[in-house]
């Protein structure tokens, strides 16, 4: 424990969310401090993606609180939450298929009102992580390979200069080599506060602090076996 | 040959008007997945506002025709856009998360509301205006006595359409609003995750669609010299046909479909029968729906993910 108490970047308190009658989150607590990399792991259907989407208000929380930087953001509109510089590379990547790579990245930059210099700096940073994207700038998002789309999804999230970056299954469906590139990139990013999940062993290794979800409830701390 | 050339000119001008209306259908379909059946009546409202603002300007003693046209254009675009915004706000947005047919039924209701409102407020009679733009050019006079003419009104209609389409294309392709609109069309949830205010973007789509319909309404008034409360119905359905023919959801498709419907209708009237011109246009709709459901420039439903 550090001597100086800091406001957690993200504090989730007994959060509940549901899709219709199916309750997906049954009282989740999670604290993420600035500068921390957190891996969220759990079985299929444990509620990992739902938790990330509920932070953005989709679905809305039924009960509990989400505090970002000490402010209660529970119930605020999704686009306002995004403008607080919380970014997500969501499940399924959700690239805009009929926009060019450049436009997809610009959508990320548009999420926060940034200056031209900040935008250029953001692009440089994304290209440093994923040089492949630079060659693909004019290509349509929908024509990229799966790995390239994943890079673009992460790059787009980074363009908003996030204070909290959430990556949902960053290695899903990728060739092992590409998955490694992506996890290397996440480690390079650790100047940023990250919340990440994915390949259990790798994610746990990248994080000093993995949290486990089981059927919508926290299930204690899991220690990496790698 | 001269007769055919003349019909091509006429069809092109009519097609420009249909195309401007069709863009509103296709944009709204792309972004919220509904057919806005009140859009034809928005076009009619645009025609009326053009007429009213024209009469007001003339009563103020304004005589410079280009200035009058410009003011009428801007005023009718602005006020009609407000109508488009209001219709979305009161009739569609509350039903956004309802069952799929609900906003469409609401749109049909809104169409009746707008046309009946105009009938009560402006009367049921056809409102004529004297020709505002006169004169023209003789392009070719054959020995047979038939003269190919291009009237100044036609020139104004086509130039206005081209200029507005250029502005509109630039807006969609290059500006932040256009990017947000395309993002909402492709993935509303992701757009929201990137800070796009989806409700506001949808409102803007209705505003822009209504403004273009207002231009079409004003062009109709200039070209035919009349408006009436019922003109939105047939013109709206024709423009809808144009949007389907071009591929619903495709902006260039809407313009192309508009031109195609304008040409088909005009050529049919010229060579077969004027009475059956609507039959010709709507037969196209049926044929397209059967044999080419995605239209000329539409994309198939399946996307590579």
């Amino acid at each position: 424990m550090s001597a100086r108490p800091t406001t957690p970047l993200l504090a989730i308190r007994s959060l509940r969310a549901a899709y219709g009658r199916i309750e997906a989150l049954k009282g989740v607590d999670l604290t993420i401090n600035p500068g921390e990399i957190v891996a969220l792991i759990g079985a299929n259907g444990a509620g990992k993606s739902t938790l990330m989407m509920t932070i953005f208000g989709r679905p809305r929380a039924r009960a509990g609180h989400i505090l970002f930087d000490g402010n209660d953001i529970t119930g605020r509109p999704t686009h306002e939450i995004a403008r607080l510089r919380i970014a997500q590379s969501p499940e399924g990547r959700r690239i805009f298929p009929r926009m060019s790579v450049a436009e997809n990245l610009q959508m990320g930059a548009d999420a926060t009102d940034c200056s031209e210099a900040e935008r250029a700096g953001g692009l440089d940073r994304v290209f440093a992580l994923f040089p492949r994207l630079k060659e693909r700038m004019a290509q349509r998002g929908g024509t990229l390979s799966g790995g390239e789309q994943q890079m673009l999804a992460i790059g787009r999230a980074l363009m908003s200069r996030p204070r909290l970056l959430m990556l949902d299954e960053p290695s899903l469906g990728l060739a092992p080599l590409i998955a490694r590139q992506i996890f290397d990139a996440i480690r390079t990013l650790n100047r940023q506060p990250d919340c990440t999940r994915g390949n259990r062993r790798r994610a746990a290794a990248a994080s000093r602090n993995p949290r486990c979800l089981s059927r919508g409830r926290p299930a204690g701390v899991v220690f990496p076996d790698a | 040959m001269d007769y055919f050339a003349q019909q091509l000119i006429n069809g092109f001008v009519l097609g420009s008007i249909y195309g401007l209306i069709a863009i509103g259908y296709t944009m709204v379909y792309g972004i919220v997945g509904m057919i806005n059946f009140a859009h034809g009546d928005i076009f009619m409202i645009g025609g009326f506002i053009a007429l009213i603002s024209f009469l007001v300007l003339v009563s103020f003693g304004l005589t410079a025709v280009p200035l009058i046209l410009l003011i009428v254009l801007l005023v009718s675009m602005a006020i009609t856009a407000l109508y488009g915004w209001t219709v979305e706000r009161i009739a569609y947005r509350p039903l956004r998360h309802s069952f799929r047919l609900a906003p469409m039924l609401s749109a049909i209701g809104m169409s009746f509301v707008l046309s009946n409102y105009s009938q009560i407020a402006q009367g049921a009679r056809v409102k004529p205006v004297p020709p505002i733009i006169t004169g023209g050019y003789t392009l070719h006079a054959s020995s047979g006595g038939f003269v190919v003419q291009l009237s100044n009104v036609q020139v104004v209609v086509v130039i206005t359409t081209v200029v507005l389409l250029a502005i509109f294309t630039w807006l969609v392709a290059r500006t932040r609003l256009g990017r947000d609109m395309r993002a909402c069309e492709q993935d509303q949830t992701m757009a929201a995750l990137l800070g796009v205010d989806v409700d506001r973007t949808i409102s803007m789509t209705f505003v822009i669609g209504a403004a273009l319909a207002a231009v079409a309404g004003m062009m109709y008034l200039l070209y035919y010299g009349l408006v009436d409360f019922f003109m939105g119905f047939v013109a709206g359905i024709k423009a809808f046909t144009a949007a389907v023919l071009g591929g619903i959801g495709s902006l260039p498709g809407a313009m192309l479909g508009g031109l195609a419907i304008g040409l088909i209708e005009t050529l049919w009237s010229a060579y077969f029968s004027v009475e059956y011109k609507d039959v010709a246009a709507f037969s196209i709709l049926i044929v397209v729906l059967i044999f080419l459901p995605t239209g000329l420039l539409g994309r198939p439903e399946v996307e590579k993910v």
Side-chain angles (χ1 to χ4, degrees), chain B residues 36-42 44-45 87 92 104-120 229-230 232-233:
Chain B
N36 178 13
F37 281 111
H39 191 59
D41 298 278
I42 292 286
M44 174 272 295
I45 296 276
V87 166
Y92 308 149
M104 210 160 85
L105 294 173
S106 182
I108 294 172
M110 213 58 224
S111 162
F112 284 111
V113 168
L114 289 173
S115 65
N116 282 295
Y117 153 74
S118 303
Q119 184 184 3
I120 292 165
F229 76 98
F230 200 62
F233 179 73

Side-chain angles (χ1 to χ4, degrees), chain A residues 82-83 94 98 103 110-111, chain B residues 176 179 182 185 187 195:
Chain A
R83 285 177 194 168
R94 306 191 88 140
R98 292 180 298 286
E103 281 183 311
D110 285 346
Chain B
R176 176 158 179 187
R179 209 160 40 236
R182 284 179 291 139
E185 181 238 314
D187 188 339

